[in-house]
């Protein structure tokens, strides 16, 4: 049994509807998925396709309208505050806009100390906490000594992104949802961020789930890819299958519209 | 050599901060864009791409100041001109500029046609609204936009349509050259492609004679432009054809950038993505020698101390590094063998 893949997150008919009547938006429309431990997954779709809404449901920030989400094969129960807190020890997220993740009034020390507390390290001696924070910062090439007493908004975009990863380093979740983790930064910093996430995966055995509009990134990082259009998964499979031999017209269009460097970019299709 | 639409010689501009510090974000930049050509500018964020775009128009306002150098647009030297004259006779007529995030700057309470009236009236106050409308309608149709967009408010347009509208408005006076700063970065791939197709059309049909295109997305730059200039810390570190810049970069910084390219193409998964360690230097106090030295894995003691000139290697190619071309290529080849 040991070489069998273990489910970490899965869903059946997961749906989210916003609003009612004429204002109704079906943001996520009956999606089924099986994410396995240790496997790198990407969910790819254009803006408005429902990626962030799905991420929020997976994280338990909003309730699903219909359908079920399973955590490690069991139906997820995050009904109480206590259960939610426990769930968030296993699953964490980084979002596109690093600002949204931080409470504006908390200094960076507080942001990081909170992570240590969440992992049950609240009572550790202060020096040990500082050592942990220093280690987390140096993992993402930040200098903790220079950050204490600063606010997250005093950092550059790239530094904020790395601070988010430092948080993950401390939180050591089993699953990391990365919602457009690199869309606000340039290609070069993107490579750095990916490097760090992959290293975390190896070091703490975390399963990263990439949520992105960047089909090239999905191809590069993932084992499995889910293509999302208007709230639905229209195609899924191994990265090679989906990206190199797409079956669905939608996937084909996305691939066709991305500028590449070997294959000619045919402008006549739009 | 064919006709240069834009020629810039040793242009230097700086920001003066509130604390009276000088930031030389464009440092002795020279470039030439010929008729029918498009030039791409690449580099990490903070390297000076947007400042260069602004500086090229010869139109300066605080905190950005002109320091030295020449800008010659279609044979006319505009470097000494005062800002008011530049605004009246150069912007829009000779040089069109689409700033980063331009589409979000459209006044939401004005219909598209009103923006066009403003642009055309500023140029020719005698024109009637009817004439503007007819001209705008004809122009929009010629560049592939539906004429009913003219009667819409910006919020009624999708992101891609809004961006194409901004581009159409900015080139309605048929400028010589268009400078577009990250014009498609916030768009989905299909909208992005439509924006690029429109730009290509503008060139092909002669509405603009040349283009400068800025983006940090290299596969896009590669597909859009004829030549690429790589900027680092306010300086040009490499000039090459788009093909050479991507497939045969010389400067270690360009090499690093190209190593970060991700495309959904076969083989990509086997290539190791390279990240350049560290961040660009603070331009308040740039390093005295090669500005890239502290991040460069090929750094030598001679790199630090004296500034490195841009080395011309013929065929329009140049790079700013003390290591000879052949030696660089050998080092890169060795590295590539190690990485497979
Ligand atoms: N809180 C909300 N209320 C109403 N509609 C929403 C809300 N959040 C998202 N939506 C809508 O749901 C759809 C999917 O949005 P989102 O999940 O943010 O997509 P993506 O992350 O793929 O860009 C969009 O049509 C969006 O307008
Ligand atoms: N208004 C400003 N005042 C002072 N410095 C600025 C201003 N705008 C940009 N800079 C500085 O100029 C440098 C180049 O910035 P920019 O031209 O925006 O780069 P890029 O477009 O390549 O990201 C950066 O170091 C940036 O901090
Ligand atoms: Mg989103
Ligand atoms: Mg810029």
């Amino acid at each position: 049994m040991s070489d069998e893949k273990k489910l970490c997150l899965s869903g059946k008919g997961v749906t989210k509807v916003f609003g009612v009547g004429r204002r109704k938006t079906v943001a996520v429309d009956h999606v089924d998925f099986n994410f396995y431990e240790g496997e790198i997954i990407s969910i790819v779709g254009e803006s408005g396709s429902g990626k962030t809404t799905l991420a929020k449901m997976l994280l338990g920030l909003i309730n699903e309208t219909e359908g079920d989400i399973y955590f490690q094969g069991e139906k997820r129960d995050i009904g109480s505050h206590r259960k939610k807190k426990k769930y968030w020890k296993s699953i964490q997220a980084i979002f596109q806009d690093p600002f949204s993740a931080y409470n504006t009034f908390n200094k960076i020390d507080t942001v990081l100390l909170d992570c240590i507390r969440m992992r049950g390290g609240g009572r550790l001696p202060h020096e040990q906490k500082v050592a942990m924070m220093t280690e987390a910062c140096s993992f993402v090439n930040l200098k903790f000594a220079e950050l204490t007493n600063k606010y997250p908004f005093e950092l550059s975009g790239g530094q904020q992104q790395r601070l988010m990863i430092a948080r993950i380093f401390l939180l050591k979740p089993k699953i990391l949802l990365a919602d457009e983790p690199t869309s606000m930064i340039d290609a070069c910093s993107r490579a750095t961020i990916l490097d760090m996430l992959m290293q975390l995966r190896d070091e703490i055995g975390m399963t990263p789930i990439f949520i992105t509009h960047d089909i090239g990134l999905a191809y590069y990082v993932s084992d499995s890819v889910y293509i999302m259009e208007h709230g639905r998964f229209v195609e899924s499979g191994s990265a090679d299958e989906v990206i190199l031999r797409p079956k669905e017209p939608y996937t084909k269009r996305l691939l066709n519209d991305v500028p590449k460097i070997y294959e000619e970019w045919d402008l006549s299709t739009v | 050599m064919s006709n240069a639409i834009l020629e810039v010689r040793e242009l230097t501009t700086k920001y003066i901060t509130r604390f009276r510090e000088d930031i030389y974000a464009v440092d002795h930049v020279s470039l030439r864009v010929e008729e029918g050509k498009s030039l791409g500018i690449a580099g990490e964020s903070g390297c000076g791409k947007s400042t260069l775009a602004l500086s090229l128009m010869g139109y300066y306002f605080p905190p950005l100041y002109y320091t030295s150098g020449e800008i010659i647009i279609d044979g006319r030297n505009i470097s000494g001109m005062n800002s008011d004259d530049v605004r009246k006779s150069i912007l829009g007529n000779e040089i069109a500029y689409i700033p980063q995030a331009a589409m979000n700057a459209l006044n939401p309470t004005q219909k598209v046609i009103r923006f066009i009236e403003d642009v055309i009236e500023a140029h020719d106050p005698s024109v009637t609204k009817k004439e503007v409308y007819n001209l705008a309608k004809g122009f929009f149709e010629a560049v592939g936009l539906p004429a009913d967009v003219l009667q819409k408010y910006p919020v009624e347009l999708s992101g891609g349509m809004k961006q194409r509208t901004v581009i159409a408005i900015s080139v309605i006076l048929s400028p010589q050259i268009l400078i577009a700063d990250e014009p498609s970065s916030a768009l989905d791939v299909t909208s992005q492609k439509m924006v690029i197709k429109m730009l290509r059309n503008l060139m092909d049909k002669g509405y603009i004679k040349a283009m400068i295109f800025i983006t940090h997305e290299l596969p896009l730059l590669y597909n859009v432009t004829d030549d690429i200039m790589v900027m680092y810390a306010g300086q040009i570190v490499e000039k090459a054809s788009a093909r050479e810049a991507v497939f045969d970069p010389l400067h270690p910084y360009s090499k690093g950038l190209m190593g970060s390219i991700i495309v959904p193409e076969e083989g990509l998964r086997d290539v190791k993505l390279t990240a350049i360690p560290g961040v660009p230097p603070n331009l308040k106090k740039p390093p005295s020698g090669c500005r890239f030295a502290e991040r460069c894995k090929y750094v030598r003691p001679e790199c630090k101390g004296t500034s490195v000139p841009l080395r011309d290697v013929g065929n329009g190619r140049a790079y700013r590094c003390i290591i000879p071309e052949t030696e660089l290529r050998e080092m890169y080849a060795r590295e590539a063998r190690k990485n497979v």
Side-chain angles (χ1 to χ4, degrees):
Chain A
M1 284 287 283
S2 63
D3 55 349
E4 198 171 298
K5 294 199 287 183
K6 277 215 301 237
L7 271 177
C8 68
L9 262 186
S10 45
K12 271 224 144 38
V14 176
T15 299
K16 181 73 194 179
V17 181
F18 290 112
V20 288
R22 282 177 51 209
R23 292 264 173 80
K24 192 167 107 168
T25 309
V26 184
V28 176
D29 192 358
H30 297 93
V31 298
D32 299 337
F33 51 90
N34 288 315
F35 301 158
Y36 293 94
E37 243 170 58
E39 199 183 41
I40 303 178
I41 290 129
S42 288
I43 300 170
V44 182
E46 292 183 290
S47 63
S49 59
K51 304 182 297 297
T52 296
T53 305
L54 177 61
K56 286 180 176 166
M57 286 192 283
L58 293 177
L59 204 58
L61 293 177
I62 57 175
N63 293 328
E64 49 281 13
T65 312
E66 239 184 84
D68 295 307
I69 293 173
Y70 301 82
F71 177 60
Q72 297 178 331
E74 312 251 329
K75 195 158 162 203
R76 185 180 72 173
D77 173 14
I78 47 169
S80 69
H81 188 62
R82 202 176 51 83
K83 284 177 180 160
K84 231 177 215 164
K85 279 201 124 160
K86 182 154 174 274
Y87 181 61
W88 286 337
K89 281 189 185 163
S90 302
I91 179 164
Q92 279 288 326
I94 53 181
F95 284 100
Q96 169 171 20
D97 172 13
F99 268 119
S100 66
Y102 304 120
N103 179 334
T104 327
F105 305 110
N106 280 349
K107 291 189 178 162
I108 290 168
D109 319 43
T110 319
V111 169
L112 296 175
L113 281 172
D114 270 350
C115 299
I116 296 178
R117 205 168 305 128
M118 270 185 79
R119 293 287 305 173
R123 298 250 168 102
L124 290 171
H126 186 69
E127 306 82 73
Q128 197 175 335
K129 287 182 190 161
V130 170
M132 288 165 79
M133 293 192 283
T134 308
E135 188 195 8
C137 286
S138 77
F139 177 76
V140 296
N141 286 324
L142 291 172
K143 291 198 180 74
F144 178 65
E146 291 171 12
L147 298 178
T148 56
N149 266 319
K150 279 201 177 157
Y151 290 97
F153 59 78
E154 292 178 76
L155 304 182
S156 73
Q159 286 175 321
Q160 289 182 25
Q161 211 79 26
R162 283 182 280 143
L163 181 64
M164 292 235 262
I165 296 175
R167 286 185 65 233
I168 300 304
F169 181 91
L170 288 170
L171 289 167
K172 303 198 178 1
K174 288 204 174 63
I175 305 168
L176 176 72
L177 289 168
D179 187 2
E180 306 277 14
T182 62
S183 72
M184 311 243 291
I185 52 182
D186 56 54
C188 210
S189 325
R190 173 176 66 185
T192 310
I193 297 284
L194 289 181
D195 242 17
M196 290 173 177
L197 289 176
M198 290 315 191
Q199 224 175 306
L200 265 185
R201 172 193 187 230
D202 297 338
E203 274 178 33
I204 64 177
M206 172 185 91
T207 301
I209 301 173
F210 288 90
I211 295 173
T212 181
H213 68 278
D214 185 343
I215 202 163
L217 174 113
Y219 180 53
Y220 182 71
V221 297
S222 33
D223 301 310
S224 296
V225 176
Y226 288 74
I227 306 283
M228 194 165 191
E229 182 195 16
H230 299 315
R232 292 191 190 167
F233 287 153
V234 293
E235 181 160 13
S236 65
S238 76
D240 279 330
E241 251 167 45
V242 175
I243 309 293
L244 299 182
R245 297 177 291 278
K247 292 192 189 71
E248 287 300 312
Y250 181 73
T251 316
K252 287 183 185 161
R253 170 165 79 70
L254 279 186
L255 280 163
N256 189 30
D257 287 350
V258 179
K260 302 182 199 65
I261 58 172
Y262 297 106
E263 200 182 300
E264 175 146 25
W265 202 34
D266 179 9
L267 287 177
S268 72
T269 61
V270 291
Chain B
M1 225 188 288
S2 72
N3 182 22
I5 297 295
L6 178 69
E7 184 153 14
V8 171
R9 297 192 195 121
E10 303 288 324
L11 182 64
T12 300
T13 65
K14 66 176 176 191
Y15 292 107
I16 302 180
T17 69
R18 280 185 295 147
F19 310 107
R20 305 257 138 235
E21 295 155 318
D22 291 342
I23 296 179
Y24 288 93
V26 173
D27 193 350
H28 294 88
V29 168
S30 300
L31 59 87
R32 186 186 154 89
V33 195
E34 290 175 2
E35 183 160 354
K37 295 284 183 190
S38 56
L39 171 68
I41 299 172
E44 283 164 287
S45 58
C47 282
K49 303 183 300 296
S50 294
T51 310
L52 176 61
L54 260 176
S55 303
L56 289 177
M57 296 185 295
Y59 179 59
Y60 306 97
F61 46 88
L64 182 63
Y65 297 86
Y66 167 81
T67 305
S68 58
E70 295 188 337
I71 302 170
I72 298 145
I73 168 91
D74 206 24
R76 177 172 172 203
N77 195 328
I78 62 164
S79 347
M81 263 167 94
N82 78 47
S83 279
D84 271 348
D85 291 341
V86 171
R87 202 179 55 228
K88 277 195 212 111
S89 67
I90 305 295
L91 301 188
N93 298 319
E94 302 282 337
I95 305 182
Y97 166 59
I98 306 170
Q100 219 166 319
M103 65 185 194
N104 301 323
L106 287 179
N107 178 348
T109 62
Q110 269 195 11
K111 282 187 182 171
V112 169
I113 186 72
R114 300 282 165 271
F115 296 100
I116 299 175
E117 284 166 5
D118 290 347
V119 170
I120 295 181
E121 278 164 18
H123 172 67
D124 175 10
S126 70
V127 73
T128 67
K129 288 204 162 35
K130 182 87 194 135
E131 284 165 339
V132 172
Y133 181 78
N134 288 335
L135 186 131
K137 184 166 180 286
F139 186 72
F140 268 47
E141 279 164 357
V143 299
L145 288 176
D148 63 1
V149 167
L150 293 169
Q151 299 299 345
K152 293 203 164 140
Y153 291 96
V155 289
E156 297 176 272
L157 304 174
S158 70
M161 187 58 94
K162 222 180 334 186
Q163 187 62 292
R164 283 186 289 149
T165 301
V166 167
I167 295 170
I169 297 173
S170 70
V171 298
I172 202 159
L173 300 174
S174 292
Q176 303 282 330
I177 186 165
L178 171 68
I179 302 174
D181 192 356
E182 308 268 8
S184 64
S185 296
L187 303 175
D188 278 324
V189 286
T190 308
S191 305
Q192 166 171 287
K193 201 172 181 183
M194 288 161 94
V195 164
I196 300 306
K197 185 175 181 173
M198 175 174 186
L199 292 173
R200 184 78 55 84
N201 251 328
L202 290 173
M203 292 274 286
D204 291 347
K205 294 190 180 161
Y207 290 110
I208 52 175
K209 290 191 188 147
M211 179 165 74
I212 291 182
F213 188 92
I214 299 173
T215 177
H216 63 266
E217 292 171 54
L218 295 160
L220 180 64
L221 204 59
Y222 172 70
N223 278 284
V224 172
T225 62
D226 299 301
D227 298 306
I228 290 179
M229 260 179 25
V230 180
M231 253 187 121
Y232 186 73
Q235 298 180 325
I236 293 177
V237 296
E238 181 147 4
K239 283 183 193 180
S241 71
R243 174 155 284 279
E244 288 165 335
V246 170
F247 291 102
D248 177 32
L250 290 173
H251 195 284
Y253 178 63
S254 318
K255 179 73 186 168
L257 282 185
M258 304 314 155
S260 70
I261 288 182
I262 298 186
V263 282
E265 288 182 275
E266 192 148 16
L268 173 88
R269 278 160 68 82
D270 313 325
V271 178
K272 180 151 172 34
L273 214 57
T274 57
I276 307 173
V279 291
N282 188 332
L283 290 177
K284 280 175 210 162
K285 257 185 128 218
S288 53
C290 167
R291 294 188 176 175
F292 184 61
E294 59 175 17
R295 301 173 72 189
C296 183
K297 56 178 160 184
Y298 310 105
V299 65
R300 299 170 177 187
E302 315 86 272
C303 298
K304 298 182 179 171
T306 46
S307 68
V308 181
L310 194 62
R311 188 203 289 247
D312 200 327
V313 289
N315 276 332
R317 269 204 101 163
Y319 72 102
R320 194 186 292 277
C321 176
I322 60 164
I323 305 175
E325 216 178 325
T326 45
E327 211 172 314
L328 283 167
R329 286 204 182 90
E330 277 165 25
M331 292 187 315
Y332 299 153
R334 230 173 295 141
E335 195 109 328
R337 283 196 296 274
K338 223 168 53 193
N339 274 343
V340 290

